[in-house]
Amino acid sequence: MRVLLAFPLFQLLLLCQLLSHCVQHTRTYCQRCNERYACDCSAEKRLQVPDVPWRNLILSFNLSFNHIQNIAVDDFSGYVHLKMLYLQNNRIQSIHDNAFTSTVNLERLDLSYNQLTNLLTTWFDQLFSLRHLNLLGNKYQRLGQGFLFQKLAHLKTLQFGNPSLSAVVKKDTVGLKHLEELVLHGSALKQYEEGSLGRLGPIARVTLVLRELVERDSSLTSKMLRDVSSPETLLVLTNTTLISERSMMPFQEVKLKGVKKVALKYITITDSAITGIMKEMDRSNLSYVAMEDSQCFGRGEWYPSTHLRHLETVFIKNLNIPNFYAFHSFTYLTNILPFLKRVTAINCKLFLTPCETSKVLIRLEYLDMSGNLLTDLTMRETACGGEGAWQQLRTLNVSKNSLRSLVLLGNLFTNLHKLESLDLSQNVYFDMPERCAWPSSLHYLNLSASQLRKVTSCLPGSLHILDLSNNDLTVFDVALPFLKELHVSGNKFKSLPPGRLYPSLKILSIQRNALNMFSSIDLKEYIKLEDLKAGYNSFVCSCEFVAFLQFDVGHLVTLSDGRQSYICDSPVAFRGELVRNVHLSIFECHMKAAVSVLCAGFFLLFLVCGILCYRFNTFWYVRMTWAWLLAKRKPAINRRNDICYDAFVSYSERDSEWVEEFLVQELESTQPPFRLCLHRRNFLPGKWIADNIIDAIEKSRRTLFVLSNHFVSSEWCKYELDFSHFRLFDKGDDTAILVLLEPIDKETIPKRFCKLRKIMNSRTYLEWPEDEAQRSAFWCKLKAAMNSEECEGVP
């Protein structure tokens, strides 16, 4: 019994393990792949490498910032064209020996900031094309068992090391021949074999993260600096603490190796350390010094006897000096300052440079003091009141300070006869005076983001480039004959500045203003304009503007900001739509012309219809039909009471003689006499003829048609016949009497007398005899037809 129970239980456990294994190895897909064959599945909390469609086509794969712990043998199989693989900031602990075997074309591999404790040579055996490798921030203490990079002969950028790296030996760097950049995090190094990095040859940029290593082990630091230093190398020390003067001895190796460029980033340094460095670098070939995002403790009391005659460039940015208000003047650095050509001091809480210091800068060509605390008063002292300082200066940047007066600045700089570029942006000037003094050599002026509300002739006429972006300007009408570039984006312009004032202008930037439109007339005022940036305005997409922007603007200028930045603001129907996608109808674009054409068309239509109606008597037919319908709706008893005549005689005017001499005389002389209705005698004057005809037929018992060739040619006779035909079919009795005055060939009757044909074919008619002997029988038959009786004694 126990065996029988155990067997199914074993199967169940095995099934659960298999299902668990399948779930763990079910590979999801990366959904963010684009047409450039780049897939980005970063920051998705993935636990394993996802699959992608078309592995053999993918060029770039970003899996950074996930929770991947292991790289399996088949995770990257089939990626034969993959060039960039980003696996940084995961939790990778292990990578299969053959994980990268398929990625033979890989050029960039980033494995930084994971949890790798061992590095294997087999990972890189097939990566012959690898150019950039990042192994920073893992947990390994050594670079594998040695010869880790021996197959990476084409590697250009190598980054390795972490707070746990304890040793670097010669065999670690075997195979590296063409390295251009090296980043080494060696703050915890305890062993460094001299020559380990020296065999790599001159490297263009070397970055060392040393932290307290310089203070802790100056000998090891000296070995490293000796290996990586060369005249062609930019030496960068980052995340390092430099405190004591004595521990700066390793910088002697930098001097001896002829290093020309040194940069310090994210460092903490003291006056003592600076003094130590200056002593070690005395009379060196140093030409470039930079310090960024660092902190300096002290008052600027440095070593005064240092000679750095080759030092030309000093770059300082984001330097925090807690006691900046007590910092000394650098006038004592007489063996350094006179040789400087380029000085940058950005965001360093600089509020004053003594005039004596400025006067020592006799070779200075470039000076950037942006983002500091300069005011009009301290600027006057810094520039020595405009006398005797910076005589070689070509470029000056004092943006992002607390300057207010353009008049003062102009007077301070007017004697800088070589000054070509001046950046005064992001100060607060509000108004511009009418007149200012500027050096005649000034070609570039930046007054952007200065809250200016108007511009005047204070602007120097020698300008080639002017930047007035992000102010409150509505008009710009200052003539600048040499201006080639004008930047006025972010203002309140409603139209383009008048082009006639800028005959040399080639580039105009006027984005984010209040422009509604511009036309070819506006652009043609600019004689030499080539490049226009006018996007992101409140464009009114009128027919003229849309047509101009879609078809004509390209013949005049190049819209360098792209057609996608030209968006409609009105009308509401097109708001938010690209101007290039707007399609307006002919009625929207040519309303007056379209309405005129439409009205003319309707007029012609009505005219043609009127002519046709007149030609075919349509109005008469309509009125006759209406009268017939009214007559039809009239009660029969009323119609009988309205009878006034025995017959209405329809005849041609040319047959009036026969009618009056024979017909009327005969019928009205009968006892009792017949009452006949004749148009000449009984029609009411002033009344429409058609109405008279209809009334006469309606008020008569019979309609007597005197048919002749004249009758057939008469239009009014046709109308009388038509209405009589209506009545004939309406009443269903014999109301029509036909008298044929002369023989008529039915085939010769016009088609418009189709009703006459039908009546003649369906009814009998009386013929007027030429023989007088037969006329008595004619009259007898006619009278009988009038009374609906038989004619007695007549066959």
Side-chain angles (χ1 to χ4, degrees):
M1 184 68 177
R2 292 181 179 176
V3 175
L4 293 175
L5 290 173
F7 185 70
L9 182 60
F10 172 76
Q11 286 184 326
L12 182 61
L13 291 174
L14 180 61
L15 180 61
C16 290
Q17 288 182 352
L18 289 174
L19 289 175
S20 176
H21 179 80
C22 291
V23 170
Q24 291 177 0
H25 288 80
T26 299
R27 197 181 296 277
T28 59
Y29 270 87
C30 179
Q31 302 296 327
R32 293 185 291 169
C33 296
N34 59 31
E35 66 280 359
R36 297 180 180 178
Y37 301 108
C39 294
D40 183 0
C41 283
S42 60
E44 293 185 352
K45 298 182 180 180
R46 292 181 176 270
L47 300 176
Q48 61 180 4
V49 176
D51 205 347
V52 298
W54 313 297
R55 283 191 177 199
N56 59 329
L57 298 177
I58 296 301
L59 300 176
S60 174
F61 201 180
N62 188 351
L63 291 168
S64 60
F65 297 94
N66 280 291
H67 298 164
I68 300 172
Q69 296 183 4
N70 302 294
I71 303 297
V73 63
D74 61 340
D75 281 345
F76 298 108
S77 62
Y79 290 83
V80 293
H81 290 101
L82 189 66
K83 293 183 178 297
M84 292 173 281
L85 178 58
Y86 302 96
L87 292 166
Q88 69 269 26
N89 295 93
N90 276 278
R91 302 173 183 176
I92 301 174
Q93 299 175 2
S94 65
I95 301 176
H96 193 278
D97 291 5
N98 300 318
F100 304 123
T101 302
S102 297
T103 58
V104 293
N105 290 302
L106 196 64
E107 295 180 0
R108 183 182 295 272
L109 176 60
D110 194 337
L111 292 168
S112 60
Y113 302 100
N114 282 287
Q115 299 176 16
L116 295 170
T117 56
N118 293 307
L119 304 180
L120 301 180
T121 307
T122 53
W123 296 347
F124 312 118
D125 280 349
Q126 302 300 320
L127 303 184
F128 305 112
S129 301
L130 198 64
R131 300 289 191 276
H132 309 278
L133 176 61
N134 190 345
L135 296 171
L136 286 170
N138 283 276
K139 295 183 178 182
Y140 53 86
Q141 296 183 5
R142 301 181 68 94
L143 294 176
Q145 301 301 317
F147 307 101
L148 184 65
F149 311 119
Q150 64 178 348
K151 298 292 184 67
L152 306 181
H154 297 94
L155 200 65
K156 293 183 177 181
T157 301
L158 174 61
Q159 302 178 61
F160 70 93
N162 57 74
S164 301
L165 184 66
S166 60
V168 175
V169 295
K170 289 182 178 180
K171 64 181 180 179
D172 290 337
T173 58
V174 172
L176 299 176
K177 299 177 181 179
H178 304 289
L179 211 59
E180 297 176 358
E181 181 177 357
L182 172 67
V183 177
L184 169 58
H185 190 304
S187 60
L189 281 176
K190 298 178 181 178
Q191 177 187 358
Y192 178 80
E193 187 176 359
E194 190 169 355
S196 297
L197 300 177
R199 65 169 61 197
L200 304 181
I203 304 174
R205 182 185 178 99
V206 175
T207 301
L208 300 177
V209 181
L210 302 178
R211 298 194 186 279
E212 291 82 18
L213 180 63
V214 178
E215 298 289 331
R216 177 171 51 84
D217 193 340
S218 60
S219 175
L220 188 150
T221 305
S222 295
K223 293 178 184 179
M224 292 178 59
L225 292 180
R226 188 180 305 126
D227 278 356
V228 300
S229 297
S230 73
E232 294 85 10
T233 300
L234 168 60
L235 180 61
V236 181
L237 297 181
T238 181
N239 296 101
T240 302
T241 301
L242 305 175
I243 298 177
S244 64
E245 179 180 342
R246 181 179 55 82
S247 60
M248 298 301 106
M249 292 181 61
F251 281 90
Q252 186 177 13
E253 302 296 338
V254 177
K255 172 185 174 181
L256 294 176
K257 287 287 186 173
V259 173
K260 296 180 179 180
K261 298 180 180 180
V262 174
L264 307 175
K265 298 185 68 173
Y266 306 108
I267 69 165
T268 299
I269 195 168
T270 65
D271 278 353
S272 297
I274 293 176
T275 299
I277 294 174
M278 294 177 69
K279 286 182 177 181
E280 299 299 335
M281 299 297 295
D282 185 28
R283 302 183 188 278
S284 68
N285 293 326
L286 194 64
S287 63
Y288 173 89
V289 173
M291 184 180 295
E292 291 186 64
D293 303 301
S294 299
Q295 193 170 26
C296 180
F297 291 93
R299 301 175 59 185
E301 298 174 345
W302 303 338
Y303 184 63
S305 301
T306 302
H307 290 74
L308 295 173
R309 295 180 180 274
H310 299 286
L311 185 60
E312 294 183 347
T313 303
V314 173
F315 181 91
I316 303 173
K317 182 179 181 181
N318 300 333
L319 179 62
N320 180 26
I321 306 174
N323 298 322
F324 71 94
Y325 51 86
F327 221 67
H328 284 200
S329 169
F330 294 137
T331 52
Y332 60 87
L333 300 177
T334 54
N335 296 321
I336 298 177
L337 297 182
F339 304 102
L340 295 178
K341 292 185 178 181
R342 290 172 292 277
V343 174
T344 298
I346 301 174
N347 191 24
C348 298
K349 296 183 180 179
L350 177 66
F351 63 92
L352 173 69
T353 299
C355 176
E356 292 80 2
T357 303
S358 297
K359 285 185 176 180
V360 177
L361 299 169
I362 57 176
R363 297 184 183 180
L364 193 65
E365 298 178 0
Y366 178 94
L367 177 59
D368 186 347
M369 297 186 291
S370 59
N372 286 291
L373 304 175
L374 294 170
T375 65
D376 291 343
L377 182 62
T378 59
M379 192 69 224
R380 183 191 296 273
E381 172 65 18
T382 300
C384 298
E387 298 292 338
W390 307 335
Q391 292 303 303
Q392 302 299 318
L393 196 64
R394 296 180 180 274
T395 301
L396 175 61
N397 186 346
V398 289
S399 62
K400 299 181 185 179
N401 279 279
S402 299
L403 304 174
R404 296 289 184 271
S405 175
L406 287 173
V407 173
L408 171 65
L409 296 175
N411 291 333
L412 292 178
F413 305 145
T414 188
N415 292 324
L416 303 179
H417 301 298
K418 294 186 178 181
L419 187 64
E420 298 177 354
S421 175
L422 177 60
D423 191 340
L424 302 175
S425 63
Q426 300 186 61
N427 288 285
V428 181
Y429 306 111
F430 291 115
D431 296 314
M432 183 179 290
E434 292 297 327
R435 298 291 176 187
C436 301
W438 301 100
S440 59
S441 58
L442 193 60
H443 291 164
Y444 171 85
L445 178 62
N446 189 344
L447 287 168
S448 62
S450 300
Q451 301 185 33
L452 288 171
R453 291 173 290 202
K454 72 171 184 176
V455 291
T456 66
S457 54
C458 169
L459 294 173
S462 60
L463 289 179
H464 290 181
I465 302 173
L466 175 61
D467 192 342
L468 292 168
S469 304
N470 302 313
N471 283 290
D472 295 320
L473 302 175
T474 57
V475 177
F476 182 59
D477 54 2
V478 179
L480 296 172
F482 305 108
L483 195 65
K484 296 180 180 180
E485 293 185 27
L486 176 60
H487 303 273
V488 290
S489 296
N491 283 280
K492 299 177 181 178
F493 288 100
K494 294 184 178 180
S495 60
L496 297 181
R500 65 182 184 278
L501 301 177
Y502 319 105
S504 302
L505 195 67
K506 293 183 178 181
I507 299 175
L508 173 60
S509 178
I510 191 169
Q511 296 176 316
R512 301 185 307 280
N513 275 270
L515 285 180
N516 294 134
M517 62 180 66
F518 54 90
S519 65
S520 59
I521 298 176
D522 300 323
L523 295 183
K524 287 179 180 177
E525 286 192 11
Y526 297 91
I527 302 174
K528 297 183 178 180
L529 189 64
E530 299 174 356
D531 189 301
L532 175 65
K533 295 179 181 179
Y536 306 108
N537 278 284
S538 302
F539 291 117
V540 175
C541 285
S542 63
C543 298
E544 295 80 5
F545 179 69
V546 170
F548 172 67
L549 204 69
Q550 289 181 350
F551 304 110
D552 300 331
V553 69
H555 299 140
L556 299 174
V557 294
T558 298
L559 299 179
S560 59
D561 52 351
R563 300 294 180 103
Q564 69 279 0
S565 62
Y566 294 79
I567 303 171
C568 296
D569 183 66
S570 64
V572 177
F574 298 111
R575 181 169 294 171
E577 189 168 345
L578 297 181
V579 178
R580 66 182 180 186
N581 295 335
V582 171
H583 299 286
L584 297 169
S585 67
I586 189 171
F587 283 98
E588 292 173 303
C589 294
H590 307 286
M591 179 63 74
K592 293 182 179 179
V595 170
S596 300
V597 171
L598 190 62
C599 291
F602 277 119
F603 175 76
L604 291 175
L605 179 62
F606 289 142
L607 181 62
V608 171
C609 290
I611 294 173
L612 293 176
C613 289
Y614 177 79
R615 175 67 180 83
F616 296 103
N617 303 296
T618 304
F619 296 115
W620 189 91
Y621 281 114
V622 171
R623 188 159 184 178
M624 183 181 70
T625 303
W626 176 247
W628 173 75
L629 291 173
L630 291 177
K632 183 176 181 181
R633 292 172 59 89
K634 186 184 295 184
I637 187 170
N638 291 338
R639 277 187 271 179
R640 287 195 297 270
N641 295 334
D642 290 340
I643 298 299
C644 299
Y645 305 101
D646 292 309
F648 168 67
V649 182
S650 176
Y651 62 96
S652 172
E653 187 65 29
R654 295 183 182 182
D655 298 325
S656 59
E657 182 179 353
W658 181 87
V659 171
E660 293 173 359
E661 291 184 2
F662 292 95
L663 182 65
V664 173
Q665 291 295 332
E666 180 65 28
L667 295 180
E668 290 188 347
S669 62
T670 304
Q671 293 300 325
F674 289 101
R675 291 169 297 172
L676 302 179
C677 178
L678 305 178
H679 66 266
R680 180 181 291 185
R681 184 178 66 186
N682 300 104
F683 278 10
L684 294 176
K687 193 173 183 179
W688 190 41
I689 295 178
D691 286 341
N692 274 314
I693 292 173
I694 293 170
D695 286 345
I697 293 175
E698 280 295 316
K699 292 179 180 179
S700 302
R701 291 189 178 89
R702 302 280 189 275
T703 301
L704 197 155
F705 293 99
V706 179
L707 305 178
S708 66
N709 289 318
H710 297 148
F711 183 95
V712 171
S713 61
S714 172
E715 286 293 331
W716 291 112
C717 291
K718 176 179 180 297
Y719 300 152
E720 294 167 0
L721 181 64
D722 285 335
F723 190 79
S724 178
H725 191 262
F726 275 126
R727 184 178 177 189
L728 178 67
F729 283 95
D730 181 40
K731 290 186 175 183
D733 55 10
D734 298 335
T735 57
I737 301 174
L738 306 181
V739 175
L740 193 60
L741 196 60
E742 58 185 359
I744 300 176
D745 187 358
K746 294 179 183 180
E747 300 301 326
T748 63
I749 297 175
K751 292 181 180 180
R752 59 195 178 93
F753 277 87
C754 57
K755 293 182 177 64
L756 177 59
R757 290 186 178 188
K758 292 180 181 179
I759 294 176
M760 292 181 71
N761 288 331
S762 61
R763 304 181 64 82
T764 58
Y765 49 86
L766 298 173
E767 295 186 22
W768 173 253
E770 293 294 334
D771 187 0
E772 292 185 5
Q774 297 179 2
R775 290 180 181 176
S776 58
F778 169 82
W779 293 117
C780 181
K781 292 179 181 179
L782 179 58
K783 292 175 183 178
M786 294 279 287
N787 289 324
S788 300
E789 299 175 349
E790 293 291 335
C791 182
E792 298 180 357
V794 179

